[in-house]
Amino acid sequence: MSDLTRRSALALAAGALVAGRAEAAAPPHRCEDLIDSIGVNVHLGHGGTPYVARFEACAAALDTLGVRHLRDDIVLTGGEPAGQFARIAALAGRGYRFSLVFYDGLTPGPRVPPDKFAAIAHWAGGGLIIAEGGNEPPIAGRRDLPGLSADHQAALFRAVRTDARDPAVQVAGPSYIQGNVAAAQNLAALVDLGNIHAYPGAEHPETGGGGSLARFVAAARPVFGSAPMIATENGYHTALATRSAHLPVSEGIRARYLPRLLLWSYLQGVRRTYLYELIASFDHGDGDPESRFGLLAYDGQPTPAFTAVRNLIRLFGGHGTAGAPYSGDVAITQAGAMPNLVSARFVRRDGALLVPLWQGIDAWDRRSLAARPDATPKAVDLLLAQQPRSVRLHRFADDGSVSVSVLSAERRMMVQVTDRLGVLEIT
C-alpha cells in the first residue's frame, strides 16, 4: 500500500493530524461495533471432530472467547438433521448468531435446496441471521458453472425474501476465490452482503501485496456491486512443515497479527470478519494446514492467538474495568516519519476513549520461516483535547497476553509504537 493510501486511511479512520497538518476528525468508532464485527467459523455438523465429540467444551470456549457471531456449513443428508441443529439451537439460546452456508452442489458435500430455508431457520432456533450462498464454488472450469451458481443464489434470495417469518435474515453471496471471482456473474441484485475469503497467506494484515484486503474487496465488487462486504473466512495457520501454497506463520506471529487483522478489517469497512476456525478439526501434524487453523488446538488447549483475540474483545468490551468517561478527543500531531502507522479512536460503553496504535509492517520471513528482528519502536506525539484522569497503555505480546503501563495523565504525551498492537485507554 502506498504512503498516500495509508495516510488517507489514517485520516479517515483516526481523525489524525498527519505530518503536522490538521485533518477534520471523524467521529470516533464505537467499541461495541468492533466487537460485533468479529466472528469465528465452527463445524457443528462434522462428525469425528471436536465440535461434535466435545461440543460442551467448545461452547464453554466460545463463552470465554467473547465472540457472538458464528459461521457454519449446513450438513443436510436427509430429514431434519437433529444433531447439528440441536447444537446450533442450543448456542442460539445462549445468544449466538449464525451465518449458515447453503451449499450449491458445485463443491463437495450435499446440496442444500433453497426451498429448505424456512425449515432450516426453524431448526436454528432463532439463531440464523445470514443465509450464505455456496462455499468457494469452483465455477471457472466450465461455461455452465457460473450460471448454475447464479441460479442457486437467485433461488436462495427468493426463498429468504418470501419467508415473512424471518424478515431480518440477510442474504450473502457465494464466497468465490482465486480465478473463480472473475468467472462469476453479477449477483448485485441477489445479495444483501458481498462475501470474500480474504486470507493474507503469510503476509501481514495491512499488506499491499497479493494478500491485500483492498484487492480482495476490489475483485469482488463486479460480482456484488456496492453491497456491504463480509469476510466469512480469514486468518492464519501455523503448519510450518506444509508444502501447501497457503504459507504458514508461527504461533507467536499469528497472535501478533490477529488483533491487527480484526481492527484493520473493521477500519477498512468490512462488516464482519469470521476467523477460521474455533478449534482444529483434525490433528494430522505440522504438514497439514487444516490441522493448524484453530484458535484452540485439537486437544482443546488455547493457542496464543485465542488469548490475543479474547483479550482484544475484553479490552474493547470493558470487561473487568472501572473506567470513567472521557469527553475529550485525541490527535496524533507527529506521524510524518511513520508511513506505516495505523491508528483509530473508539469510545467504549463506559465512556473511556481507546486509541489503538501500531506499525502495519511485515514481521515474518517466509523463506526462513522465522520472525524478523523486532521492529524499531517509533515515537508518536499525542495531543489530548482535555486533561485526562488516567492514561494506560495496553501492549499485546506474542503469547497473547497484555501488559499494562500507567502513563502520566498529561494533555501532551509521547508513546512508543511497534508492530505489536498498543491500545491507549484514556479516562
Side-chain angles (χ1 to χ4, degrees), residues 19 23 97 410:
E23 301 281 354
R97 294 295 176 260
E410 306 290 343

Side-chain angles (χ1 to χ4, degrees), residues 227-247:
M229 203 68 67
I230 59 175
T232 53
E233 291 184 20
N234 206 348
Y236 296 90
H237 75 81
T238 60
L240 294 178
T242 185
R243 296 180 180 271
S244 168
H246 191 153
L247 299 177

Side-chain angles (χ1 to χ4, degrees), residues 181 186-188 193-194 196 214-230 268-270:
V181 181
N186 186 309
L187 304 178
L193 301 165
I196 55 176
R215 292 190 180 189
F216 281 107
V217 172
R221 284 296 171 212
V223 182
F224 302 123
S226 61
M229 203 68 67
I230 59 175
Q268 296 303 299
V270 175

Side-chain angles (χ1 to χ4, degrees), residues 5-29 267 329-336 338-346 355-358 380-383:
T5 302
R6 289 188 182 279
R7 294 189 185 200
S8 297
L10 179 60
L12 289 172
L17 303 180
V18 180
R21 180 171 56 83
E23 301 281 354
H29 302 280
L267 293 173
D329 208 338
V330 62
I332 299 172
T333 58
Q334 292 181 3
M338 203 184 315
N340 297 307
L341 174 68
V342 184
S343 176
R345 294 138 50 245
F346 288 84
V355 182
L357 298 150
W358 74 93
V380 168
D381 292 328
L382 301 168
L383 174 63

